[in-house]
Amino acid sequence: MLRFALLLLSMTALAYARPIVRHIRSTHEFDRLMKKHSTQTGLPVIVDFYSDGCGPCRMIAPIFKKLAQEVGGKAVFVKVDTNALHELSSRYGVRSLPTFKFFLGGRKVNEFSGAGEQQLRQFTQDVIQKAEWENVMLPMENLVSYYGQQDASKTSKDIEKVYKKCVDQVKDDNPDKLCVGAVARNLAKSLKKKYGSGPEFETRFVPEEPSTNEQSDDKKAGEGSGSPKKSNKGNADKPNLHLATKEQLLAEIESRLDAERDAQVEEEEDDDAEFEHGWEPSEWPERVTIIGGGPAGLSAAIYAARAGLKPVVVAPPMGGQLQGKGVDVENYRPAVVSLMRQQAIAYGATFEADVVVGIDASERPMKVKTNSSLIETHSIIVATGAESNWLNVKGEYEMRGGGVSSCATCDGHIYRGKHVLVVGGGDTAMEDALVLARTSESVTVIHRRDAFRASKVLAQRVSEHPSISIKWNTVIAEILGKPLSSDANDGENVDLDAPAEKVVSGAVLKDVYTGEETKVDVGAVFVAIGHTPTTSFLEGVVEFNPEHAGYVLTQGTSTKTSMPGIFACGDVADSIYRQAITSAGSGAAAALDAERWLSEEGLGNEESDFEAELLADIMANDGRRSAEEYNVYEEAGGRVSGMKESTGATGAEL
């Protein structure tokens, strides 16, 4: 007990030395922080979910830090990098960046998305006021004393019943079973209305100011006054590690690691390092701009970065398809994508968290237009992928990753021995049904027409398969779910706010002619109604595959498109496989093709070339040349049409 008490005291002391804004490194750290401030300090926790390549995130970051300084110790400000901690962003349904969530007592009380300073300040003030208003406690003895004065007829059993009702209504983390917060205030309000006055409150969380000097003085005074010293008997309270159980040892190790982490946090300096990998505009064109943040785009980024091309990756804040959908693809986990991103950063890639709305390839360098920026670049790698088409029925979105999938190859084995549904009537649906029939107990194909659009051979195989049945002229009206069973919580990692997770338990089928609805029990629903490539911004820029609408047409086995300098990889150019691993491979190929094309066209590092040539001119004292006069496309011998626009003269006289 003594060791535990000392640990709590050390954690309390460290709390006053915490940085202005704390950067969360792990899910465990976040859960522990939420637990601590819901049970020990009562402080609200304000969380900024951000990405290092997000422009609005960079804009609001200094305001967030300034607000934290202004508020002082009235709230805890933390930042969560959504790319590094995908589990947390998925848990709290973060779909756009930046997103701010406000927690009190472990519960989310407010949230908003966007870089709105006024909204951030208002919500912060609201949650602080709420925390102060709820920082009350009604002890049992106060309630007993109150009833003794107001209603002597109340027995101790009656009072205990009232107190227990108050405790049971407390939704916050309340391990000590106290009557606290808003529930306590509501009880007091009801009693005041009935008796004319209410019971007395006590403050639940008392802020303790650091008092090193006072503690030193008290210590000296205690020693001077002959206060008794602790005897060695106190050591008996400390656990003997050689006698401890495995569970006690693990708990002790965890406690010490937590204390070390708090000590590290104390020494951290607040800065804007989380944005050091974000793209910043330059007077020189980029050599490679990659559009897309999935396996294809990040694979291209790794290869391009290793080649010294310093690529810029333009992608929405939540990354590519695997991370943006909130679905875990079993054969290519989002954690792999996160590691690929880290590797690309390590070799020099930068990120712009935005959506591309257009490309101007009419002149060189080409221009990539986003919602908030304009990037000049010599080459472009398109890796925006193809989005699965969905049914848009009730229950579908909520249970993606919990039995609703668009990839039987990826997730089919999870539902081995279960009844599953496949929705669709094309080749993809037929292939999915045949794949699932190998492992599932039964497969039912749901099709809204009375004949398949698939090839005759595939349709015949499905029709004749003994484990596959077909529901003609039928659609899914709703996907049913049940709460995900979980082991008893150990009390350490408590999420008091996350909605209950569900998994597929059935579906409601509807006849398209009669409207009759029937319920079926199934373990999974696989949607195979096609894909839509994300290529609308390429209209009029490159040629598309005439046989597969929306897919970019590439030349032979390469990733080259009809426009010199633009390359396509991944699902955006693959209408057949559409797998994460094949996308990653084509991303590497696109980077190699881009590197080779840049070399052939003589398009190197303009900034370095200019500096080298300028230095050579100075050394030779043979005239002066400004940045305004330098044109890499002239150096390339005129093989690329268009002229380099002026990047601005340096104005320096040497």
Side-chain angles (χ1 to χ4, degrees), residues 359-364 366 378-382 538-544 552-555 559-568 597 640-641:
I359 291 177
D360 182 1
S362 61
E363 57 182 359
R364 301 299 168 123
M366 295 180 283
H378 292 314
S379 64
I380 297 172
I381 295 176
V382 180
L538 291 172
E539 291 288 346
V541 179
V542 300
E543 293 182 8
F544 291 93
V552 177
L553 181 65
T554 55
Q555 299 177 6
T559 61
K560 297 179 181 178
T561 68
S562 59
M563 175 61 67
I566 297 182
F567 306 86
W597 182 84
V640 180
S641 61

Side-chain angles (χ1 to χ4, degrees), residues 193-488:
K193 184 177 180 181
K194 182 176 181 180
Y195 296 107
S197 64
E200 292 185 4
F201 291 122
E202 292 184 8
T203 302
R204 183 185 182 191
F205 302 106
V206 180
E208 298 178 7
E209 297 296 335
S211 52
T212 306
N213 295 334
E214 293 177 6
Q215 291 174 359
S216 299
D217 294 341
D218 291 343
K219 182 178 181 182
K220 291 178 181 178
E223 293 174 351
S225 61
S227 58
K229 297 181 180 180
K230 290 184 178 179
S231 67
N232 292 334
K233 186 179 179 180
N235 292 332
D237 293 332
K238 298 181 180 180
N240 294 320
L241 296 183
H242 68 284
L243 298 177
T245 65
K246 179 181 178 181
E247 290 73 18
Q248 290 174 327
L249 288 172
L250 291 174
E252 179 68 17
I253 292 172
E254 188 68 28
S255 296
R256 294 188 183 187
L257 289 175
D258 288 345
E260 288 179 7
R261 172 62 190 135
D262 282 338
Q264 292 173 3
V265 170
E266 178 185 354
E267 297 174 359
E268 289 178 355
E269 296 182 0
D270 293 286
D271 53 34
D272 295 325
E274 68 267 23
F275 301 115
E276 62 181 340
H277 308 301
W279 174 78
E280 294 291 343
S282 168
E283 62 178 339
W284 305 99
E286 305 295 339
R287 280 170 285 175
V288 179
T289 297
I290 300 168
I291 306 175
L298 292 177
S299 180
I302 291 171
Y303 272 72
R306 285 177 65 96
L309 298 179
K310 296 182 178 179
V312 178
V313 181
V314 185
M318 297 310 296
Q321 295 180 61
L322 298 188
Q323 288 187 297
K325 292 179 181 179
V327 177
D328 285 351
V329 178
E330 288 297 319
N331 61 353
Y332 210 91
R333 305 291 288 179
V336 176
V337 179
S338 179
L339 291 173
M340 292 175 70
R341 176 188 173 88
Q342 294 175 28
Q343 187 177 4
I345 289 173
Y347 289 115
T350 56
F351 290 78
E352 173 70 352
D354 211 333
V355 176
V356 172
V357 295
I359 291 177
D360 182 1
S362 61
E363 57 182 359
R364 301 299 168 123
M366 295 180 283
K367 296 178 176 63
V368 176
K369 303 175 183 177
T370 73
N371 287 321
S372 59
S373 59
L374 182 67
I375 303 174
E376 290 190 339
T377 183
H378 292 314
S379 64
I380 297 172
I381 295 176
V382 180
T384 46
E387 295 289 339
S388 300
N389 296 332
W390 296 96
L391 301 172
N392 296 320
V393 298
K394 184 178 179 181
E396 178 187 51
Y397 182 83
E398 294 82 353
M399 285 179 280
R400 290 189 196 177
V404 176
S405 173
S406 61
C407 182
T409 304
C410 308
D411 305 327
H413 73 283
I414 304 173
Y415 307 100
R416 180 183 298 273
K418 295 184 178 181
H419 302 282
V420 299
L421 300 182
V422 174
V423 184
D427 285 350
T428 301
M430 302 299 103
E431 292 167 357
D432 285 359
L434 292 170
V435 167
L436 292 167
R438 300 171 189 165
T439 56
S440 302
E441 182 172 338
S442 67
V443 179
T444 302
V445 178
I446 308 298
H447 189 43
R448 59 181 177 175
R449 297 187 175 91
D450 57 3
F452 290 132
R453 294 178 290 104
S455 64
K456 184 177 180 181
V457 174
L458 284 175
Q460 184 174 353
R461 288 180 182 174
V462 167
S463 301
E464 295 176 352
H465 199 289
S467 298
I468 300 176
S469 60
I470 303 170
K471 291 280 189 181
W472 302 107
N473 303 315
T474 303
V475 295
I476 290 183
E478 180 182 354
I479 298 176
L480 306 175
K482 62 181 179 181
L484 179 64
S485 60
S486 59
D487 296 333

Side-chain angles (χ1 to χ4, degrees), residues 13 60 69 81 89 122 164 190 202 253 350 402 485 530 634 654:
I60 198 67
Q69 292 173 325
D81 184 349
S89 57
Q122 183 61 54
K164 184 179 184 302
S190 299
E202 292 184 8
I253 292 172
T350 56
S485 60
E634 292 178 352
L654 302 175

